[in-house]
Amino acid sequence: MNFISATGFTDDLPDLEISIEKAVSDDDFIKKICTPLFGGGKRLRPILFLLCARAGKNYSKEKALPLATALELIHTASLVHDDILDGANKRRGVETLNSKYSAQIAVLVGDYLFAKAFQLVSENNYGDEISLALSKLVKNLCIGEIMQDRALFVVPTLSEYYSRINLKTAFFLSTCCRLGGIVAKLEKSDVENLANYGTSLGLAFQIVDDLLDFFGEEKVTGKALGGDLKSGVITLPVIRALQAGKNFTTLKNIITQDKISDSDVSTAIKIISESDAVEYCKNRAASHIDCAKLDLPPVIENSVKLSLEKISDFVINRNR
Ligand code: FPP
Ligand code: MG
């Protein structure tokens, strides 16, 4: 089952795709270079926003779509820049811009997508609260990446790992839910609860992402295995496997050298799978999902609540 059918929510999605396509059609070269970037995305962020925007009684698709589009553009811009930082060759099943063209082109395309997102937001008069939330979101994405980049090949503490994944992923999902709640004109406390749902969902999402980096199928995830390790990003499966003690020295030696080969990645995967790290990560992700579900406010429309619950179940069982 893919992500979109798992949510049981499809209403606005054809229009969302048209809106994304239109947003990157300013010029023939931009269109040619940008369209493939959106190919294999799950649309998790705009879907969270659109669902939360439907949580109240006054949903307007016309009002919601430009902001949903802007969220996917910001996310894609961040991935384009992330691939430069990681030196990644593949994303969403296609060759990255830094690999196919150059890092220079990729920087500019990321900037372009980012600017387009803010153009959509300004043109549609969403107001200061939403603009401020978006600025804070991008600021946190950058801080999360800077923290990560400053500590490459260094084993983070559990709390450092959590701060990082909160800034680079959970805060984004939380913002999508918060913006939906604001557009739906929910009470402040209900908006906060939706945002808390997004935070817990995001923590679980990133932990699963970090597991998939070691145990995913490249054809399904659309990116190369062991990418985090090779770029020096040390994540929860490794942190836990190191704590478990067995083969500590071999694993520590692999992850702290600045050139990691495919065979090092295979050895690391073997050590991780022989420890309790996979189970530990899955348990942590599952407990964040339990918290996410508990945060869903009772006032929201039943069908929206059901879809948000399905999304949270999908996030821990996903393979891409
Ligand atoms: C993917 O996560 C990357 C991110 C969640 C954030 C990247 C953010 C920046 C590069 C800051 C710049 C932002 C903008 C808007 C221009 P990951 O690296 O854990 O996962 P991956 O395996 O998919 O690369
Ligand atoms: Mg990355």
Side-chain angles (χ1 to χ4, degrees), residues 40 89-96 216-225 319-320:
N89 298 324
K90 230 168 130 197
R91 164 80 67 185
R92 292 177 166 175
V94 294
E95 195 176 353
T96 57
E217 258 185 78
E218 291 188 9
K219 272 203 184 117
V220 184
T221 60
K223 45 193 183 186
L225 215 59
N319 57 5
R320 62 176 280 251

Side-chain angles (χ1 to χ4, degrees), residues 36-319:
L37 299 175
F38 292 89
K42 291 182 278 299
R43 308 290 185 255
L44 171 61
R45 290 153 184 82
I47 288 177
L48 284 175
F49 164 72
L50 289 167
L51 277 169
C52 294
R54 285 170 173 268
K57 302 230 176 316
N58 306 307
Y59 179 69
S60 153
K61 181 154 80 178
E62 287 63 41
K63 176 91 188 145
L65 267 184
L67 186 47
T69 307
L71 290 166
E72 189 64 14
L73 294 185
I74 293 172
H75 174 53
T76 307
S78 79
L79 296 181
V80 168
H81 282 187
D82 187 62
D83 288 336
I84 307 170
L85 297 174
D86 291 350
N89 298 324
K90 230 168 130 197
R91 164 80 67 185
R92 292 177 166 175
V94 294
E95 195 176 353
T96 57
L97 293 183
N98 47 296
S99 168
K100 190 167 181 189
Y101 299 92
S102 62
Q104 287 87 335
I105 287 282
V107 168
L108 293 168
V109 171
D111 289 347
Y112 169 83
L113 293 172
F114 185 52
K116 271 308 279 195
F118 279 88
Q119 182 184 340
L120 281 173
V121 174
S122 311
E123 281 170 355
N124 288 279
N125 304 313
Y126 286 106
D128 288 348
E129 189 180 11
I130 287 183
S131 295
L132 203 63
L134 286 171
S135 317
K136 202 167 163 196
L137 152 67
V138 177
K139 187 185 76 178
N140 280 352
L141 273 181
C142 293
I143 298 175
E145 283 293 304
I146 292 168
M147 276 171 63
Q148 184 172 289
D149 208 63
R150 279 174 60 87
L152 293 181
F153 304 101
V154 175
V155 183
T157 63
L158 191 60
S159 122
E160 285 162 351
Y161 170 77
Y162 265 94
S163 308
R164 186 191 288 176
I165 68 170
N166 185 35
L167 288 163
K168 73 172 197 177
T169 306
F171 194 79
F172 201 152
L173 303 198
S174 171
T175 301
C176 295
C177 298
R178 176 187 299 285
L179 296 185
I182 295 172
V183 166
K185 298 194 167 43
L186 299 185
E187 293 285 331
K188 261 195 169 12
S189 59
D190 294 324
V191 173
E192 269 332 294
N193 285 335
L194 278 179
N196 291 339
Y197 159 88
T199 302
S200 296
L201 183 77
L203 295 174
F205 182 91
Q206 189 59 46
I207 291 172
V208 173
D209 208 66
D210 293 342
L211 269 177
L212 287 174
D213 197 71
F214 292 106
F215 299 102
E217 258 185 78
E218 291 188 9
K219 272 203 184 117
V220 184
T221 60
K223 45 193 183 186
L225 215 59
D228 286 337
L229 209 60
K230 284 186 172 170
S231 55
V233 178
I234 297 174
T235 57
L236 195 57
V238 173
I239 297 172
R240 178 63 186 183
L242 285 172
Q243 281 169 353
K246 221 171 140 222
N247 292 318
F248 175 95
T249 316
T250 316
L251 186 56
K252 184 99 198 232
N253 286 342
I254 290 175
I255 60 175
T256 49
Q257 64 196 1
D258 55 6
K259 191 99 191 84
I260 297 171
S261 66
D262 285 340
S263 117
D264 290 333
V265 171
S266 304
T267 309
I269 290 175
K270 188 164 177 288
I271 295 173
I272 294 166
S273 45
E274 284 168 359
S275 76
D276 70 350
V278 175
E279 200 194 342
Y280 171 84
C281 292
K282 283 187 176 167
N283 286 342
R284 274 200 174 253
S287 75
H288 292 306
I289 290 303
D290 290 342
C291 292
K293 287 182 181 169
L294 288 174
D295 273 322
L296 286 174
V299 297
I300 62 179
E301 288 283 326
N302 217 26
S303 63
V304 168
K305 186 162 185 267
L306 213 64
S307 286
L308 292 173
E309 282 169 351
K310 282 186 181 166
I311 289 184
S312 52
D313 289 331
F314 185 84
V315 155
I316 36 173
N317 295 315
R318 73 197 176 96
N319 57 5

